[in-house]
Amino acid sequence: MSGSWKRSEHFIDGDWYTPAAGELLAIENPATGESIGTAARGGREEVDLAVEAATRAWPGWSATSPAQRAEALGALRDALGARSKELVDLTVAELGVPVTFAENVHVPLALGDLDAFTRDVRDFPFEERIGNSLVLKESAGVAGCVTPWNYPLHQMAAKVGAALAAGCTVVLKPAELTPLAAYALAEAACDAGLPPGVFNVVFGSGRVVGDALTRSPGVDVVSFTGSTAVGTSVAEVAAGDVRRCLLELGGKSASVALPDADFEAATRWTVRSATVNSGQTCSACTRLIVPRSNHADVVAYAGELAAGLRVGDPLDATTDLGPVVSARQRETILGFVERAVANGARVEPAGTGDLPDRGHYVRPAVVSGTHPFSEIAQEEVFGPVLVVLAYDDEDEAAAIANSTRYGLSGAVWSADAGRATTFARRLRTGQVDVNGGQWNFSAPFGGYKQSGTGRELGPHGIADFCEIKSIQL
């Protein structure tokens, strides 16, 4: 980007496209409530143009070799990496995350995604022999990718990287609240020399552009990340003409400390998981499940940790939590906590001092004294709220962990890694961290139950953008 955040274009067929009667989206800084720029507001016409461009580009792109696609992805990664400082600035401005978190997590996540796809596509089994059959994994066609606002750059890299690695061409619809990263990604695609039409971006609202993209007959694969409610409607549309649909949806993940766990380590990690990115993380562990005999001590310690988190100006390097993304999101979070308290739950003190007098700030909250089936323990709050629950034995711990309609992530803590892994197998969820296990860019990410279908990242993410053909020889 040129340093200006006032944009009015879409990126279609390798060039910037400005509609004659273009409307604009206003971009708000959540830390101040002030407008910091604009983005294009597209409609069905722009979606049709982008899908047509992607359709024209698909035969040539899908015919490239894995090595050629790896080279292109590497070039895209390098072009994006050259914009790291700018990416940090725009992420802080449009999402309100602390500058250190943007530097250490948001931007490195996206670059790590592209690094992994660059490696993984070279060894991906696009062909294999099974007896007398040649089994092919072939590009599924044009991919329509709809991404959320909470990790804008990472979510775009995860979807676009996998689709391009598989040989698909892409039409991307970024979140209307955080569109700036998509402009930077499109400019990086230009610098990387991606052929025209291979990667396209249409900006606008989910209700208009997202709906048009998911309904377009020219889109072969729909990949959506967002709320379970919207994901359900996307799946219904895709089912109408039996199109491949990949969904990464909500979560209410559990961190389970077994009786022999290091409770301080488990509590520190889980408080961080529940509050990082101001709690706006779909895979966050927002329930901490501990033995009843340890419950009171864990609640007190979690409250101390939450109270020690500094909420404030995201440009201050000492800030732990910035604002949440919007006034509406703030009211939603506060509503969950207020209803929990009205129903008898307790909330530990979470910090002292005044919050900034403008912006959408929320103090972290540690909730206890509530039932595992209460609203606050079952529903995704999407804010810095941790619920601490007690169990009497491991069967009950597993039952509580599996009691929600979600199944996206989780964690298990034990002095015995084997015991923790055995318990992890009991969890109905797509990912489990054992004793704070390290993130793996090539491991599949996705959910059970109402947390979604399909997987992102690594070879499994590439596979979901492929069709399978069997040739009998």
Side-chain angles (χ1 to χ4, degrees), residues 41-383:
R41 183 194 294 270
R44 185 172 299 277
E45 179 181 351
E46 289 76 29
V47 170
D48 289 345
L49 289 172
V51 172
E52 289 167 5
T55 301
R56 289 192 300 271
W58 179 77
W61 182 251
S62 64
T64 57
S65 68
Q68 289 172 313
R69 295 199 290 274
E71 184 176 352
L73 285 165
L76 179 61
R77 185 265 181 229
D78 290 344
L80 196 63
R83 290 172 161 76
S84 290
K85 175 61 170 65
E86 177 191 6
L87 293 170
V88 168
D89 292 344
L90 64 85
T91 301
V92 173
E94 68 177 349
L95 185 57
V97 298
V99 62
T100 52
F101 193 65
E103 291 172 341
N104 297 328
V105 177
H106 275 267
V107 174
L109 270 178
L111 299 179
D113 293 334
L114 295 176
D115 280 334
F117 287 126
T118 299
R119 295 190 304 269
D120 293 336
V121 70
R122 294 183 185 275
D123 299 321
F124 185 81
F126 285 101
E127 298 186 8
E128 62 178 323
R129 287 294 297 265
I130 301 178
N132 67 309
S133 298
L134 177 64
V135 179
L136 309 179
K137 293 186 178 72
E138 299 181 327
S139 162
V142 174
C145 299
V146 182
T147 56
W149 49 261
N150 60 324
Y151 286 84
L153 193 62
H154 160 60
Q155 294 285 354
M156 288 188 289
K159 293 185 187 301
V160 172
L164 295 181
C168 292
T169 53
V170 175
V171 179
L172 170 68
K173 205 295 286 185
E176 60 193 284
L177 292 176
T178 54
L180 294 176
Y183 281 107
L185 183 59
E187 290 188 345
C190 286
D191 291 349
L194 288 184
V198 168
F199 174 62
N200 309 270
V201 188
V202 180
F203 298 85
S205 71
R207 186 170 297 179
V208 176
V209 174
D211 184 70
L213 184 59
T214 57
R215 292 181 185 277
S216 173
V219 171
D220 301 289
V221 184
V222 175
S223 179
F224 170 85
T225 296
S227 72
T228 297
V230 177
T232 300
S233 66
V234 169
E236 289 175 350
V237 169
D241 47 10
V242 198
R243 274 181 297 149
R244 184 181 293 267
C245 184
L246 312 173
L247 303 172
E248 197 263 278
L249 307 176
K252 191 68 177 180
S253 301
S255 177
V256 181
L258 298 181
D260 65 342
D262 180 336
F263 290 101
E264 288 192 358
T267 305
R268 285 194 302 270
W269 184 95
T270 308
V271 168
R272 182 61 175 161
S273 174
T275 59
V276 74
N277 211 46
S278 294
Q280 300 165 133
T281 303
C282 57
S283 60
C285 284
T286 54
R287 295 179 296 152
L288 177 54
I289 303 173
V290 300
R292 194 170 303 279
S293 59
N294 302 96
H295 182 263
D297 289 341
V298 168
V299 169
Y301 185 48
E304 291 175 10
L305 293 172
L309 295 172
R310 181 172 178 179
V311 182
D313 182 1
L315 292 175
D316 186 335
T318 66
T319 292
D320 296 301
L321 275 69
V324 296
V325 75
S326 67
R328 179 180 179 182
Q329 188 67 19
R330 179 179 182 273
E331 291 307 312
T332 296
I333 296 163
L334 294 178
F336 272 107
V337 176
E338 289 167 0
R339 290 191 298 275
V341 171
N343 287 318
R346 297 184 300 275
V347 177
E348 298 305 304
T352 59
D354 295 330
L355 293 176
D357 57 7
R358 58 177 183 165
H360 314 308
Y361 291 91
V362 178
R363 295 191 192 280
V366 175
V367 179
S368 62
T370 190
H371 193 276
F373 291 97
S374 64
E375 179 193 52
I376 196 80
Q378 287 285 311
E379 298 300 324
E380 184 177 45
V381 176
F382 224 59

Side-chain angles (χ1 to χ4, degrees), residues 386-407:
L386 173 65
V387 180
V388 184
L389 301 166
Y391 69 85
D392 290 314
D393 57 44
E394 290 188 27
D395 287 342
E396 185 183 15
I400 293 172
N402 291 331
S403 67
T404 76
R405 60 193 174 109
Y406 299 110

Side-chain angles (χ1 to χ4, degrees), residues 419-444:
R419 180 181 184 183
T421 302
T422 297
F423 189 89
R425 293 176 183 272
R426 301 179 67 178
L427 300 183
R428 299 285 295 166
T429 186
Q431 176 177 287
V432 184
D433 294 336
V434 170
N435 292 331
Q438 186 176 357
W439 178 258
N440 182 348
F441 284 99
S442 292

